[in-house]
Amino acid sequence: MPVRELQTRWSVLADRIDAKTPVHRDRAVDALRAFAILGVVLGHWLVTALTTADGRLSTTSPLAHMSGLAPLSWVFQTLAVFFLVGGHVAAQGYESARGRGVPYGQWVGRRLGRLLRPVAAVLVLWSLASGAMLLGGVGTDTVLTLLKLVLSPLWFLLVFAALTAATPLVARLSPLWPLAVVAAVDAWRFGFGGPEWIGWVNVAAGWLVPYTLGAAWSPGAFARRAPAALLLGGGIAATAALILWGGYPASMVGVPGAAISNLNPPTLAAVAFGLAQCGLALLVREPLARLMSRPRAWAKVALVNLSAMTIFLWHQTAMMAVTALGLLISTDLPGLHTVPGSAQWIVVRLLWLPVFAAALTVCWAAFRTYEQGGSRPRSLARRGSSGTPVTPSMIVASSARTRVNASTVTRSAPTPVGENAVTGPVAPAEWIFRA
């Protein structure tokens, strides 16, 4: 297919998505969420390695072999931004539901259902795959290594679900309270020799900090730039001080073999770094909003948000599938099975990223329906002439068939609808995180 024709079809689809997006939608919020999800995915692909150096598949990290790469974790550890956006959207959604008279139980049930439904597909597939591998003679250690990679990212979903359920309470909580808990827990652990298990209190308290910031953002706490700038500057200063003089590691993700992990459980350094990230995210809202006014840029963000949970849940599976298939060629493919201990590994690993992305696309095609299916109210689904609800797949297919020039697309105002639903062919992010 000619490149020009592909560009035309993409332009048509982008214009349709743009035209059907409600004028009141805050596109910068969706852009921040997409950035956070893609940051986590790329971070895992770059700092997680499955090697065959010891005769079996085992996990390691380039951060364990090249400590100078620690700043890489500052770019790709973006969970604080995700919790910031999550708190903002949940607080807005709950207030909107209250205004419409929707009971709390109904609101939280629908929200958690949309959040957790895609997880079932992951658990079922990997339960079957694990059983098949064990029956096929794969070593228990190898199976456990793979399961850990798949399941360990799910911890954040449990925390996120709990905070979502507690939104009516935490929306009224000052971020200073969970921040004080994190500081006290770390002081007890590292300063007074407290038990290690107490650190897991910070799994809730640490991510409650950006979540409550997001809830405070909803009613206008960051209408001015000064509070966001204070978060950015204070977070940077506190993080630097904790790393330089507090004994915290520079890496913002866990490093195999390290005595302290900033992420498992979250430490005061990770929370301070998250504050800086939140401040930066709040400061770039206006430039992001201007960028998202461009249909092509907005369409990319909208489509990522539409499959955000599918991308997150299956990105590790995609990487492991490529690694496993690579074993059919060689057990020593550079950048895939080799020890990540040199600059050459990094260069070759970057070349593998498009292959991981292709595998993730296959996973997306197979499992996206668990995220998108049934998430729109039937009464609000736009129907075609046959009476069948219009879905994203149908829109993509129809745009692929069209030969209409992008300039002929009418960018009319969207049909007025309720605050928590979007009519038209594409409902970016509302299907996933709709209040």
Side-chain angles (χ1 to χ4, degrees):
M1 182 180 297
V3 174
R4 184 179 297 274
E5 186 176 354
L6 285 174
Q7 292 175 340
T8 299
R9 293 179 180 182
W10 168 247
S11 295
V12 171
L13 178 60
D15 282 330
R16 295 178 72 178
I17 294 173
D18 181 67
K20 292 299 182 179
T21 300
V23 294
H24 64 266
R25 186 168 191 83
D26 190 343
R27 299 184 182 193
V29 171
D30 294 304
L32 289 172
R33 183 191 291 120
F35 164 77
I37 289 292
L38 294 180
V40 171
V41 170
L42 290 175
H44 281 159
W45 284 353
L46 288 172
V47 304
T48 303
L50 283 166
T51 74
T52 57
D54 56 357
R56 60 184 178 86
L57 279 179
S58 58
T59 56
T60 185
S61 170
L63 298 174
H65 300 273
M66 296 174 282
S67 58
L69 294 179
L72 186 67
S73 67
W74 305 346
V75 178
F76 296 108
Q77 208 292 76
T78 52
L79 282 175
V81 177
F82 188 91
F83 279 91
L84 172 77
V85 173
H88 173 66
V89 173
Q92 277 193 332
Y94 177 66
E95 287 303 317
S96 175
R98 287 184 61 193
R100 301 192 313 275
V102 177
Y104 164 78
Q106 182 178 345
W107 173 79
V108 76
R110 289 178 178 175
R111 192 168 181 82
L112 294 183
R114 287 189 299 269
L115 179 66
L116 299 177
R117 183 172 53 243
V119 177
V122 177
L123 296 179
V124 169
L125 182 139
W126 272 97
S127 295
L128 296 175
S130 299
M133 284 188 287
L134 291 173
L135 291 174
V138 177
T140 303
D141 290 344
T142 297
V143 174
L144 290 177
T145 295
L146 298 177
L147 284 177
K148 183 178 180 180
L149 283 177
V150 172
L151 301 180
S152 58
L154 300 185
W155 65 262
F156 109 94
L157 286 181
L158 297 178
V159 177
F160 191 82
L163 295 183
T164 298
T167 294
L169 298 177
V170 302
R172 303 178 181 181
L173 184 68
S174 168
L176 294 177
W177 289 109
L179 181 60
V181 171
V182 173
V185 167
D186 273 19
W188 190 4
R189 284 179 67 198
F190 305 128
F192 298 98
E196 285 298 313
W197 61 263
I198 196 64
W200 294 103
V201 172
N202 286 350
V203 172
W207 300 116
L208 187 55
V209 174
Y211 194 90
T212 52
L213 285 173
W217 170 17
S218 181
F222 298 100
R224 295 182 297 110
R225 294 176 63 86
L230 181 61
L231 278 178
L232 175 59
I236 290 175
T239 304
L242 290 168
I243 292 173
L244 294 174
W245 301 296
Y248 288 87
S251 173
M252 289 299 144
V253 298
V255 178
I260 299 174
S261 168
N262 273 325
L263 196 57
N264 297 310
T267 64
L268 185 59
V271 174
F273 180 75
L275 291 177
Q277 284 185 314
C278 291
L280 179 60
L282 292 166
L283 287 173
V284 301
R285 286 176 296 167
E286 292 182 8
L288 272 180
R290 290 193 294 269
L291 178 61
M292 291 300 104
S293 66
R294 303 175 183 177
R296 282 58 170 171
W298 166 239
K300 295 172 185 176
V301 166
L303 293 175
V304 169
N305 275 278
L306 190 62
S307 300
M309 291 308 302
T310 303
I311 292 171
F312 177 82
L313 289 171
W314 293 98
H315 75 278
Q316 292 283 62
T317 298
M319 182 188 72
M320 288 185 286
V322 172
T323 303
L325 291 174
L327 293 174
L328 300 177
I329 302 173
S330 171
T331 60
D332 199 30
L333 287 176
L336 198 62
H337 307 131
T338 53
V339 175
S342 66
Q344 180 185 2
W345 186 92
I346 299 172
V347 173
V348 178
R349 185 65 162 197
L350 291 174
L351 298 177
W352 281 106
L353 295 186
V355 184
F356 295 161
L360 180 56
T361 301
V362 174
C363 293
W364 170 83
F367 299 104
R368 61 187 171 82
T369 55
Y370 292 93
E371 178 173 4
Q372 297 172 5
S375 60
R376 298 175 66 191
R378 183 176 297 273
S379 61
L380 293 175
R382 182 177 177 177
R383 295 178 178 272
S385 59
S386 65
T388 303
V390 179
T391 67
S393 301
M394 294 168 62
I395 295 304
V396 174
S398 64
S399 66
R401 292 191 299 267
T402 186
R403 295 297 185 270
V404 180
N405 188 280
S407 62
T408 65
V409 177
T410 302
R411 296 176 62 181
S412 57
T415 305
V417 293
E419 181 178 350
N420 299 294
V422 180
T423 58
V426 176
E430 292 282 358
W431 294 2
I432 309 163
F433 298 98
R434 186 178 59 245

